[in-house]
Each structure stands twice: as C-alpha cells, then as structure tokens.
Amino acid sequence: MGYVETHDLHKHFGEVRAVDGVNLDVAEGELLVLLGPSGCGKTTLMRMIAGLETPTSGRIVIGGEEVDEDVPPRARGVAMVFQSYALYPHKTAFGNIAFPLEALGLPPAQIAEKVDAGARMFGIGHLLRRLPRQLSGGERQRVALARAVVRDPRVFLFDEPLSNLDAQLRAIARYELKEFQRQIGTTTIYVTHDQVEAMGLGDRIAVMDRGKVRQIGTPQEVYDYPADTFVATFLGSPPMNLVEHDSETLLGFRPEHFLPREVFPAEEPVVTFHLRVRQIEHLGADRLLYGTLEEQARRDQTVIAALPVTIRTPIQEGEVYRFAVPQRALRTFDRATGRARDGAR
Amino acid sequence: MALRRQVGEAALAPPRVVTPRRTLADREDVLARVMLTPALLYVLLLVGLPFVLAILLSFSAATAGSLDFTWVGLRNFARLLPDPQFRLALRNTFLFTAVSQAIVILLAVTAANVLEAAFVGRRVVRFLLLLPWAVPVSLAAMAWTWIFDSTFSVVNWTLKVLGLLEGWFYWFGDPTLAMIAIITVHVWRMFPFATVIVLAGMTALPQEIREAAVVDGAGFFRRLFQVQLPLLLPIVTVSVLFGVVFTATDLGVVWLLTRGGPYNSTHVLATLAFQRGILAANLGQGAAIALFLLPVLVVVAWVMLRTARRTEVGG
C-alpha cells in the first residue's frame, strides 16, 4: 500500500489523452520524480493529485483515503511549489508564508511562530519584510518552499521548481532540496523534464511519455535497464546509442561504454564495431565523438562515444577506429515494439 | 572538418549586392508626420479649440446673442458659488458620481467573476452584457422613461403584482426617486464597460498565483479579497478613473431622463451648464459651470494614475 496511489487514472482533453491510464504507488516519505518531455502528461497528473484538475476516470488515494472531486485541494493536505513560485506579489515574504496558515484559521501568535520556524529552515529570516519583487530568484524559491512547509502537508508537489534558476544555482538548490526532503521526510512528487534533476533527486523515477508511464524504478534502474527505446534515449546526455542488429533487434549502448577496444582488457567479453569518426567535441571532462558504424547498412545513423579525459587515445576526424562495448553494458530492444528484450526488470 | 571547409568557401563567395532603395514605407520620419497629422488635427480642432474657447468664455460676459468678449475676470465663478441651484448641481454631481461608481465596481467585479467561470452559454451572456454599452443613449433613455413612467412604470407594476408595493412611485416627480432612477440608468450603461476591463484584468492575472491560493487552502472570499482584488487594484483603478470622468461630465442620462427636474432638483453640472449656457444663452456662465470640475478631475486623474503605477502587478 502506497501513501499516494493512482489507479488507472485518465485525463482526456477532447481527443487528447493527456494522462492515459496511470498507476502510481508512492511510498510514504519517498521522493518520486515524474520525468518526461513537455506534453507527456506529468504536470496534468500532478495537478489531478493536487485537485486542480478533475480526472476523466480513475481513482486517487492519499494516505489511505480516496480523494475524488468532492475533496477540494484545501482538504487534501497537499502543498505545491509552482514553476514560477507563484508568490503573492502584493504580500511580503511573511505574508506569503503566513497565507496558508491564515486559511487554516490559526491564531496570529501561532502563525508568527510557524512562519519564523519555516523561514529559519530556509535561512530567509532576514527577508520576511520584503516583497517578492525585492527578492532574487533563489530567495523567492525559498519563500515558496517555506510557504509549502509551514502547514505540515501530507504530500509535497513540486512542479519544476528549479527551472527558473541559473544553471550554477541549480545544482546547489537541488542538493538543498534533497537534503530538506530527507530531513522532514514528507512524501514528495516532483515533476521535471530535466533528466539530470530527476537522476539526482529521485528515490524513484517514473518516466512518462504521451500520457503513459513507460517505466518506474530507481535512477540506476531506469538508466541502466531502460524498459524501452523511449526511456533509453530520453535519459542520458548524450542519449543511448541504438543501432540495428538484425531485422528484429536493436542494440543499445550508452556513449560512455563505447570506448576504444584497447581500453578494455583482452579477456573481457566485448562486442566490437568499426567507428568512422565524423566530428569531435572537446567538452573538458569528456571527448564526444560523433560517427557512424562501418558495420551498419544505414551509414547516416549517428552513434556517439563519450571518452573521459583519462583516455588519451589520439583520434582524428575522418578516420576509422576499432571501438567496443562490454557485453554487460549491451541492451537489446525489439525493433517493432521498442520494448527491452532482456536485462530490464 | 569537411563541414567547416564548406562554410568557409561559402563565406568567400562575393556577396550579392542589393541596391538600397528607400521607399516611402522606409521613411519613418515622414510616415510619422503623415500618420499623426489627422489625429493631431482632430484633437486640436475638436477638443483643443473648444476647450480654450470655453476657458475664455468663462472669463467673459459673452452671451449667445452677442459674442463680445468683455473680460469680466472671475465674476462668472464668483456668482456661481452662492447660487443654491449651482450648489445643488455640484452636490448632485458628486453624489451621482460616487454612488454610481461604487455600484458599478461592485457589479463589474461580480459579473467578471461569473463570466470568467466556464458554463454553457457564456458567449451569449457576455454578448448580452455588453449590449447596454452599445445601445444609443437616446434609445435607452426612451426605454427607461417608460420603465419609470408615472402611469405605466414597469417597475411599479411588477412590484405591485408581487405585492411588494403599497402606494405608488412617481419616479420623476420626486427628487430622491428621480436621482435613484438616474443612477440606475447610468449604472446600467457604465457597468458593461467596467466589467470588460475587470475581466481583461482577471484574464491577465498569472494562473499559477490563483492556483497557489487554491492549494494553499483559501476559500472563495479569502481568494477574492486577499489575492484577486489586490492584484486587480491597478486595473480597477483605471476603470474607476474612466468611470468618474465619464460620469462627472455626463450630460445625456440626466438630460434625457429628467431635464434636471423635478424643480431643477436633479441637475448635475453638465446639465446646468447646458441649460444656462445654451438654452438660457448665458455662454459665460455656462462655461464657468462646465469648467468648475476641471481642477477636481485633473487631481482625481493624477492620483489614480499614480496609484495604478505604484501597485503594479508581478515582479
């Protein structure tokens, strides 16, 4: 029994099936990331859990009780952090954090106490008198988090809360968010299209595409054993290489496993290819090689190899090299359905 | 590398020379003048000139019979101040403006909230709501004079049938009732416009902020008064500003309904100015009455625009 469950949840907008039969089971205290490209239905799914959208069909259970359209958002015990933070621009940071407590009808003294505690948790005690427009992006995000925390929700819902931050701030904010979630141990559902965020934050990741959950698993599971070619190519940057093996099978291997043959010990079982290198990118920590396999019938299909700086093999554009993938890193997919053949859980 | 070489060669090819030929459409300096001229002429001739003329007239003893600009200084204004009829008109103008604007805003915010919700037939209702604004004021006044007619009053008969009215309302025979009738008609005319403005403002509110309030557990009234209205304040202010200016300077409704009657008790400044200046041919006096509110309106406009700017949404 999960703490948050959805059972065959559907949301259709006319002909469009935004959410198409989703079954989720989020354990208490878990941080589940909903990951997928824009329009995959992840935000709609979250909004249904929050009560902002009414499901076309299916059931949602929070903490053992079913929440249907008769249970409005305020009765669900969920707190949501929006992509834009959605702070009330005319209220100070204090007023923003106090708002959900006022809605609960708490006495002012208790509100002040809780706001102070929440603000201290995020280190924004000195900013409480400021209006949102006088705060930086990171500070606004903290106010939004404090506003979500103060009324002790049963479930946190995060809708891409880091996407408005600078790239440099984002890594730190991600770390802090995870730290904070572990600390208070509240069940959390986190929506993002950023796979790095998903891998870094999630206890488990649910990868979504076109309204359906394609795979749920730990970050390592979905990365190492993608359930289908969509998950294989959506996760990872650069994505997993998919090459034709025969008329029914696709071979998949990650760029970081696709290395010059001589890197691997002679006795390690590997599959070798001849890689014609078309272009080289030096990215500092990595060298990315774009090329084609000489074994491939279709020469236009690009494969990518990611060589860490520790591998110093000299490589020239236009030349052909012997590259290899360790057997253990090789995945096979059905060409027609895209489903993983083996290895996947 | 091959790719880069190709790019390099393309860059070396001689650039195709396009002969620069400026047409009239490129000459923004000329276009600006040409396009602004009609608007400028319109404002100067039909707004500016009468305005200056009115100011001059208010300092003169001019009448409709003889346009001699005998300068009389502030005499026209000085004579107005003790004039009880003028004082009543001044009081009426403030009353008329304040009460009708208060009701208009109340109705507009309510209507905008209703119209924002998705329901079957919303388009039709929106269209119907805008009708009063589009109906010519004379046509509307005819309908309303019938509604408030001393014998056939639709309001009276309806109340009578419902058993809510004991005696009889002589709408245009009693100063208070006449004022109520005037305010009713004016509110009916003004509130669609205000509704559209408020509705536009509501549509522009960030959706996420309103949803945040829902998830934060705020009920309808808390959301309305603590989130929606504060955010709408700038646009409501603009709407009130328009309303105040339109109402304080309105001639049509009062004139068409009561002509200032009964016993000159429902005159506002605009109708009094019309009666004195045009009908009684005392141009100087009429101009003075008409201009009397100008400083007040300028201050009102200034204050409201400042408020609107300071309480900007977002950020």
Side-chain angles (χ1 to χ4, degrees), chain A residues 275-279 289-293 301-305:
Chain A
L275 175 70
R276 181 177 291 278
V277 178
R278 303 278 180 197
Q279 203 176 323
L289 313 181
Y290 295 82
T292 50
L293 300 182
Q301 207 175 11
T302 303
V303 293
I304 304 172

Side-chain angles (χ1 to χ4, degrees), chain A residues 47 50 52 73-74 78-80 82-91 99-100 102-103 132-134 140 147 151 159 278-279 317, chain B residues 1-4 207-220 222-223 225-228 230-231 310-315:
Chain A
R47 290 169 57 85
L52 292 171
R74 65 170 178 276
V78 299
M80 193 157 168
F82 291 83
Q83 184 169 5
S84 65
Y85 313 139
L87 297 181
Y88 310 117
H90 57 293
K91 288 179 183 287
F99 188 75
E102 288 163 6
R133 66 166 167 272
Q134 298 163 322
R140 283 181 209 179
R147 181 173 70 181
R151 68 190 160 125
D159 187 7
R278 303 278 180 197
Q279 203 176 323
E317 286 180 354
Chain B
M1 218 53 205
L3 191 76
R4 243 169 257 152
Q207 190 65 25
E208 286 202 337
I209 289 183
R210 309 179 67 185
E211 288 178 346
V214 173
V215 178
D216 277 345
F220 175 78
R222 187 180 295 274
R223 293 205 300 273
F225 288 109
Q226 289 220 22
V227 178
Q228 199 186 72
L231 293 181
R310 216 181 306 146
T311 51
E312 74 206 271
V313 182

Side-chain angles (χ1 to χ4, degrees), chain B residues 54 57-59 76-77 80 86 283-293:
Chain B
L57 283 173
S58 69
F59 293 108
N76 283 328
F77 292 96
L80 281 179
F86 170 78
L283 282 181
Q285 179 117 108
I289 296 171
L291 283 175
F292 199 84
L293 267 193

Side-chain angles (χ1 to χ4, degrees), chain B residues 13-71:
Chain B
R16 214 161 58 90
V17 182
V18 182
T19 41
R21 282 190 51 184
R22 280 214 300 176
T23 63
L24 181 64
D26 296 315
R27 311 247 344 230
E28 298 205 343
D29 49 339
V30 178
L31 279 182
R33 277 175 209 146
V34 170
M35 289 181 167
L36 280 177
T37 306
L40 218 61
L41 280 179
Y42 166 79
V43 171
L44 280 178
L45 293 179
L46 294 177
V47 181
L49 198 62
F51 182 62
V52 174
L53 218 57
I55 292 177
L56 288 178
L57 283 173
S58 69
F59 293 108
S60 77
T63 61
S66 68
L67 267 180
D68 79 293
F69 270 92
T70 317
W71 184 264

Side-chain angles (χ1 to χ4, degrees), chain A residues 17-343:
Chain A
R17 292 165 168 243
V19 172
D20 193 7
V22 167
N23 292 290
L24 278 186
D25 191 329
V26 191
E28 183 155 17
E30 183 183 20
L31 196 161
L32 178 84
V33 175
L34 300 178
L35 174 68
S38 42
C40 74
K42 56 190 191 296
T43 298
T44 308
L45 175 56
M46 170 180 274
R47 290 169 57 85
M48 283 194 282
I49 295 170
L52 292 171
E53 305 269 0
T54 311
T56 309
S57 66
R59 298 190 305 127
I60 300 170
V61 176
I62 298 176
E65 52 183 305
E66 179 160 352
V67 290
D68 51 21
E69 61 261 46
D70 292 334
V71 185
R74 65 170 178 276
R76 296 188 177 203
V78 299
M80 193 157 168
V81 176
F82 291 83
Q83 184 169 5
S84 65
Y85 313 139
L87 297 181
Y88 310 117
H90 57 293
K91 288 179 183 287
T92 60
F94 183 94
N96 267 279
I97 302 171
F99 188 75
L101 300 172
E102 288 163 6
L104 283 177
L106 295 187
Q110 206 178 339
I111 291 178
E113 200 177 296
K114 279 179 174 273
V115 171
D116 269 347
R120 223 175 304 124
M121 183 185 282
F122 295 99
I124 49 170
H126 58 296
L127 303 173
L128 286 178
R129 287 159 180 276
R130 297 215 195 147
L131 289 170
R133 66 166 167 272
Q134 298 163 322
L135 299 172
S136 73
E139 290 164 347
R140 283 181 209 179
Q141 193 218 17
R142 285 150 191 267
V143 174
L145 285 171
R147 181 173 70 181
V149 170
V150 282
R151 68 190 160 125
D152 306 319
R154 299 193 289 178
V155 180
F156 278 128
L157 303 175
F158 290 113
D159 187 7
E160 313 220 7
L162 301 184
S163 59
N164 281 352
L165 294 181
D166 297 339
Q168 279 117 348
L169 262 179
R170 214 175 297 168
I172 299 170
R174 197 165 67 220
Y175 159 76
E176 287 178 350
L177 204 68
K178 178 91 180 174
E179 186 72 12
F180 142 77
Q181 196 267 340
R182 279 194 182 144
Q183 214 176 356
I184 65 167
T186 303
T187 310
T188 302
I189 298 176
Y190 187 107
V191 160
T192 183
H193 66 271
D194 181 340
Q195 41 121 353
V196 177
E197 224 168 277
M199 297 285 295
L201 276 174
D203 293 322
R204 283 191 303 157
I205 299 176
V207 186
M208 291 187 67
D209 181 41
R210 281 176 282 170
K212 289 184 191 297
V213 172
R214 308 299 284 260
Q215 186 175 7
I216 301 186
T218 65
Q220 220 53 54
E221 279 168 357
V222 290
Y223 188 81
D224 288 343
Y225 299 98
D228 59 22
T229 51
F230 172 80
V231 178
T233 50
F234 190 75
L235 275 168
S237 171
M240 183 178 261
N241 293 306
L242 292 175
V243 298
E244 291 164 17
H245 180 60
D246 54 42
S247 58
E248 279 161 19
T249 314
L250 290 173
L251 283 182
F253 48 90
R254 297 232 167 250
E256 64 269 26
H257 295 135
F258 189 45
L259 302 173
R261 175 66 189 91
E262 61 270 22
V263 172
F264 301 103
E267 67 276 12
E268 172 151 11
V270 295
V271 178
T272 57
F273 297 97
H274 287 88
L275 175 70
R276 181 177 291 278
V277 178
R278 303 278 180 197
Q279 203 176 323
I280 304 176
E281 283 177 4
H282 296 276
L283 298 183
D286 286 318
R287 242 188 316 174
L288 287 192
L289 313 181
Y290 295 82
T292 50
L293 300 182
E294 296 288 296
E295 289 83 355
Q296 284 278 288
R298 284 179 53 206
R299 289 289 171 80
D300 57 342
Q301 207 175 11
T302 303
V303 293
I304 304 172
L307 275 55
V309 278
T310 47
I311 296 172
R312 291 168 188 274
T313 318
I315 295 193
Q316 294 279 313
E317 286 180 354
E319 302 296 322
V320 177
Y321 299 91
R322 273 188 79 213
F323 268 58
V325 183
Q327 198 79 51
R328 58 178 166 80
L330 210 57
R331 304 285 171 262
T332 51
F333 300 93
D334 188 287
R335 240 183 113 171
T337 63
R339 302 296 301 175
R341 276 272 171 69
D342 50 35

